[in-house]
Amino acid sequence: MAPVTFAGICFVEILERLAFYALISVFTMYLTNVKGMSQQESSSLYGELMLGIYGLPILGGWLSDRIVGTKRALLAGIGLLTLGYLLLVLPHWLGLVLPLVLLCLGS
């Protein structure tokens, strides 16, 4: 892998981590205060999000190694994460469900 490519991947990964920690730091407060969920519901959704974000990369790694290839898997992951973060600004219920699914799949 060329140094420029490696530096680009590192830069994108840093941006993704910044976006992730910014989202997670206010996620349950947003769900309870803005979306009107109870504390139990927001904590449950937070746990499910963490399960998806940290569990699905195992499947993604297998798909990348066996079927899709590294370059296509990275591009698909970056695309899904970008679309997921952009869709979070939508006000209706798809503005919460679809972006979270995309974030889980992209990670």
Side-chain angles (χ1 to χ4, degrees), residues 20 44-58 104 107:
F20 171 75
S44 176
L45 188 57
Y46 175 82
E48 292 166 4
L49 178 65
M50 291 298 106
L51 175 67
I53 286 177
Y54 288 111
L56 284 177
I58 297 169
C104 289
S107 64

Side-chain angles (χ1 to χ4, degrees), residues 87-99:
L87 288 176
L88 277 173
V89 299
L90 295 178
H92 52 81
W93 70 272
L94 277 177
L96 184 62
V97 175
L98 182 62

Side-chain angles (χ1 to χ4, degrees), residues 2-3 5-6 10-11 19 21-22 25 27 30 34 40 46 55-56 68-69 72 79 82 86 91 95-97 101 105:
T5 306
F6 181 72
C10 288
F11 182 70
Y21 289 120
S25 66
F27 186 68
Y30 172 76
V34 176
Q40 183 179 4
Y46 175 82
L56 284 177
V68 179
R72 281 190 247 160
T82 302
L86 290 175
L96 184 62
V97 175
V101 169
L105 292 174

